[in-house]
Amino acid sequence: DYALYYAKEHRRGRPVVFTADHEDAIRARSILEQELRQADLEAELTLEYQPIVDVAAGRVVAFEALARWTNPRLGRVPPGVFIVAAERIGLIGTITAILLGKAIAAMRGWPDAIGLSFNLSAHDIASPAAVARLAALIEAGGVAPERIALEITETALMHDFDAARDALLALKAIGAQISLDDFGTGYSSLGYVRRLPIDKIKVDRSFMADLLVDKASRDIVKSIVDLCRNLNLDCIIEGVETADHLSILRGLGCRSMQGYHFSPPVPASEVTRLAGPVDAASAEAVDAEVSLV
Ligand code: C2E
Ligand code: MG
Ligand code: MG
Ligand code: MG
């Protein structure tokens, strides 16, 4: 559990070096869970926002909200760690509601043309009551639900396919969009995409690692892009880190992208500065051919 390296011992106020030792791991986990239970979540949870860029139009079209937890004793705990802990101790519904409330409030200050992408966990769509709560929050939020894309991973959908489909249908019924996150890492694929009411696919950033050197990676990304075009789905490539990535992806017909090449996640206060046309340095520099191995 690499995650638990982040936990610090609060009694003596010094970091605990967690080894592979089982007892340490259990102890670190329980410290983290205890801090999460006691936390002032409204105050300690914030969101950063990462632009999603339409490179053909040269514009930022949406922002993905990414959860941040900063605790007085533990410091910054990554979402990969605390979201899982929150699921374990039954706090995820509360956390999702707080974060979605904050994201929608932030969105009210954005231009109408800018969308929000918001991550859900499996638990958020596991029961009709949880789904109804999400839908109510969105409907009460004062923004057009069509501007909100709810991201859900394949893994989250696999727990109970029928329940997941009902949940997605209920969220679509109020006008929200559904985005399939981390596509290409799970078991799913075509079957899922065809049988679920999905609007967008986000291609996992693991494909970027060897995009420049491995033809197979490029072929896979190309076939996902083509699939999306045939099924009339938006396709967003995650983890675009370099101008070479961008150039290759353009050649494959990709249009929507997200990644450090454009911008890291930023605080809410920077969203309006980034919304709109992307600066020429990140969007243009790329018509040059890149030679592929
Ligand atoms: P994700 O939804 O796939 O989010 C993308 C992650 O990739 C983010 O990590 C982002 O900071 C990172 N990233 C963006 N561009 C690049 C890039 O060019 N290169 C690399 N190497 N990484 C990039 P982050 O913020 O640590 O979030 C990790 C995961 O935690 C998210 O993956 C998502 O599954 C989960 N998460 C984050 N916020 C929430 C939330 O509000 N609710 C739920 N349920 N899960 C969340
Ligand atoms: Mg996501
Ligand atoms: Mg993702
Ligand atoms: Mg991911």
Side-chain angles (χ1 to χ4, degrees), residues 64 119 151 181:
E64 178 176 4
N119 292 284
E151 297 194 7
D181 203 358

Side-chain angles (χ1 to χ4, degrees), residues 91-110:
L91 261 185
I92 191 68
T94 305
I95 287 179
T96 299
I98 291 172
L99 292 171
L100 184 56
K102 290 188 182 217
I104 291 174
M107 227 187 142
R108 285 193 214 108
W110 300 356

Side-chain angles (χ1 to χ4, degrees), residues 49-65 107 110-117 146-149 151 177 200 202 234-237 255-258 262-263 271-279:
Y49 297 88
Q50 187 178 35
I52 298 172
V53 178
D54 177 337
V55 298
R59 301 188 65 81
V60 170
V61 291
F63 287 84
E64 178 176 4
M107 227 187 142
W110 300 356
D112 283 345
I114 302 291
L116 168 77
S117 218
E146 291 73 15
R147 287 172 63 197
I148 301 178
E151 297 194 7
Q177 310 265 302
K200 303 167 197 275
K202 298 190 76 173
D234 281 351
C235 181
I236 299 156
I237 313 291
R255 176 168 182 153
S256 299
M257 304 181 199
Q258 179 179 357
F262 303 102
S263 169
V271 164
T272 15
R273 185 177 61 77
L274 294 177
V278 291
D279 83 50

Side-chain angles (χ1 to χ4, degrees), residues 133-244:
R133 189 176 178 198
L134 281 178
L137 262 171
I138 292 172
E139 290 196 295
V143 297
E146 291 73 15
R147 287 172 63 197
I148 301 178
L150 299 168
E151 297 194 7
I152 188 92
T153 63
E154 306 169 310
T155 328
L157 295 172
M158 278 175 356
H159 287 299
D160 179 345
F161 184 87
D162 292 326
R165 197 189 45 208
D166 290 348
L168 300 190
L169 285 170
L171 294 167
K172 279 208 66 67
I174 63 157
Q177 310 265 302
I178 306 296
S179 196
L180 189 54
D181 203 358
D182 300 351
F183 188 78
T185 56
Y187 296 87
S188 76
S189 51
L190 291 170
Y192 272 79
V193 174
R194 279 186 26 256
R195 290 163 60 210
L196 289 167
I198 287 166
D199 303 287
K200 303 167 197 275
I201 281 180
K202 298 190 76 173
V203 179
D204 192 72
R205 71 175 143 89
S206 56
F207 291 102
M208 296 302 104
D210 51 8
L211 192 76
L212 277 64
V213 293
D214 181 21
K215 184 170 183 301
S217 284
R218 294 193 295 276
D219 289 346
I220 293 168
V221 172
K222 175 88 168 72
S223 63
I224 298 173
V225 172
D226 292 345
L227 164 77
C228 288
R229 191 174 298 121
N230 291 333
L231 295 176
N232 206 16
L233 300 165
D234 281 351
C235 181
I236 299 156
I237 313 291
E238 296 190 285
V240 179
E241 292 187 351
T242 65
D244 284 351

